């Protein structure tokens, strides 16, 4: 019996560059909740950004943010992964050597950036609408633990990912997130570990969980759930980690709803 549904956002629930969640999804989430089924938004995005995206139901769902480095339900932090400080500073020092790299550094509710690129500023503040603070020196201007470091390269992720994996993959998990981002995630945190923490907190068995994803930062989550869907346009090979393939999260949610008993 389905008790929890978790979905990635960009490239999964948000298709074809969509910036807002389809209003149909909010109605589906409400219907699922009426039947005792929890919905969780699982993304590399910031927690406050996710709450904004789900404004009509923001207090009715759970959040797996920052690629699993932060899990929150009912404004309670269920789990948090922190990058060791010296490692974080080594990564940031390397990233700073390359002007084409635009970096965000995630705290629990603030994203910091040293980028001076006006295009990047506009994207993060006006398009993504993160709660941002632009700084000069991460070592002196970030007053909290670092949960995630994300690097955006407008030239694409291939060269950036190769370079950063060669430098740091023995120390930390380095994954692509969407078409432009390479993320550094706390070695003990990923969407799968955060989902497991949420399931344990809610006393739900993994076999009663359904998940959706499209990128390699979704793999652990896809492998954790009893039922998993890779998107039809997912990154090559992602379908190997899922039990099904779909071209629409909404379509599957509606199928689940249609099979529910009347309340």
């Amino acid at each position: 019996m389905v008790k929890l549904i978790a979905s990635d956002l960009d490239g999964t629930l948000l298709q074809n560059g969509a910036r807002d969640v389809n209003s149909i999804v909010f109605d589906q989430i409400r219907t699922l909740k009426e039947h005792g089924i929890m919905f969780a938004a699982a993304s590399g995005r910031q927690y406050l950004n996710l709450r904004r995206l789900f404004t009509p139901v923001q207090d009715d769902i759970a959040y797996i943010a920052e690629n699993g480095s932060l899990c929150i339900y009912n404004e309670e932090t269920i789990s948090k992964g922190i990058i060791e400080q010296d490692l974080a500073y080594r990564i940031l020092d390397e990233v700073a050597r390359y002007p084409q790299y635009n970096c965000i550094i995630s705290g629990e509710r603030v994203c910091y950036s040293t980028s001076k690129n006006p295009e990047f500023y506009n994207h993060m503040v006006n398009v993504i609408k993160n709660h941002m603070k632009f700084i000069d020196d991460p070592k002196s201007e970030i007053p909290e633990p670092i949960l995630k470091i994300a690097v955006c390269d407008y030239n694409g992720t291939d060269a950036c990912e190769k370079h950063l994996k060669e430098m740091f993959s023995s120390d930390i998990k380095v994954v692509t997130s969407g078409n432009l981002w390479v993320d550094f995630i706390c070695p003990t945190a990923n969407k799968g570990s955060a989902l497991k923490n949420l399931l344990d907190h809610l006393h739900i068995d993994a076999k009663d969980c359904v998940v959706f994803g499209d990128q390699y930062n979704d793999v652990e989550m896809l492998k954790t759930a009893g039922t998993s869907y890779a998107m039809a346009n997912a990154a090559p090979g992602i379908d190997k980690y899922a039990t099904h393939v779909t071209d629409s999260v909404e379509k599957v949610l509606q199928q689940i709803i249609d099979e529910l008993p009347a309340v």
Side-chain angles (χ1 to χ4, degrees):
M1 178 182 174
V2 178
K3 295 183 180 178
L4 188 144
I5 298 170
S7 179
D8 171 55
L9 270 289
D10 296 285
T12 302
L13 193 59
L14 298 178
Q15 285 278 313
N16 303 315
R19 296 179 182 177
D20 298 304
V21 177
N22 190 324
S23 61
I24 291 171
V25 174
F26 302 138
D27 292 333
Q28 291 174 325
I29 288 172
R30 294 185 187 102
T31 300
L32 291 166
K33 184 183 179 185
E34 289 173 1
H35 287 81
I37 300 173
M38 169 70 61
F39 184 86
S43 174
R45 293 188 184 221
Q46 179 189 42
Y47 167 61
L48 293 181
N49 182 283
L50 291 175
R51 281 189 64 87
R52 178 189 62 77
L53 278 170
F54 286 88
T55 295
V57 293
Q58 64 182 202
D59 294 322
D60 298 323
I61 69 173
Y63 298 90
I64 295 171
E66 307 290 3
N67 274 332
S69 289
L70 186 63
C71 181
I72 293 179
Y73 176 56
N74 278 344
E75 287 283 52
E76 176 186 355
T77 299
I78 306 303
S79 62
K80 181 162 61 174
I82 296 169
I83 299 176
E84 192 271 326
Q85 189 177 72
D86 288 345
L87 174 58
Y89 289 162
R90 282 199 289 118
I91 294 168
L92 293 171
D93 285 343
E94 179 64 18
V95 168
R97 295 177 56 221
Y98 295 83
Q100 73 269 33
Y101 292 169
N102 300 280
C103 184
I104 58 172
I105 307 148
S106 298
E108 188 162 325
R109 307 219 174 193
V110 179
C111 280
Y112 307 87
S113 180
T114 55
S115 176
K116 308 301 181 186
N117 184 334
E119 180 184 4
F120 184 73
Y121 176 95
N122 179 68
H123 183 72
M124 297 310 304
V125 174
N126 299 318
V127 178
I128 300 297
K129 298 182 179 178
N130 265 10
H131 182 199
M132 297 291 300
K133 183 175 181 181
F134 286 82
I135 60 175
D136 294 313
D137 181 9
K139 296 176 185 178
S140 63
E141 296 182 70
I142 297 178
E144 60 178 310
I146 293 173
L147 306 186
K148 188 188 77 176
I149 297 170
V151 180
C152 172
D153 185 348
Y154 286 113
N155 298 316
T157 60
D158 289 350
C160 179
E161 179 190 16
K162 182 175 185 293
H163 164 217
L164 295 175
K165 276 189 171 180
E166 286 174 353
M167 293 289 299
F168 299 107
S169 62
S170 62
D171 299 314
I172 190 169
K173 191 172 182 66
V174 185
V175 296
T176 54
S177 181
N179 297 320
L180 297 177
W181 293 92
V182 175
D183 290 359
F184 295 89
I185 307 168
C186 169
T188 59
N190 55 62
K191 288 184 184 179
S193 64
L195 177 62
K196 180 67 164 57
N197 291 330
L198 178 62
L199 290 169
D200 289 346
H201 179 76
L202 297 173
H203 306 292
I204 294 174
D205 195 295
K207 68 179 175 56
D208 297 322
C209 180
V210 177
V211 302
F212 300 84
D214 76 313
Q215 289 286 337
Y216 278 89
N217 60 342
D218 298 316
V219 166
E220 290 87 356
M221 182 171 71
L222 292 168
K223 292 166 67 175
T224 296
T227 303
S228 54
Y229 289 83
M231 303 309 293
N233 59 350
I238 292 297
D239 59 329
K240 293 187 294 187
Y241 299 99
T243 57
H244 305 279
V245 173
T246 184
D247 60 0
S248 169
V249 174
E250 294 96 321
K251 186 189 301 182
V252 177
L253 293 182
Q254 194 57 50
Q255 289 171 351
I256 292 171
I257 289 169
D258 290 345
E259 294 173 3
L260 293 171
V263 176

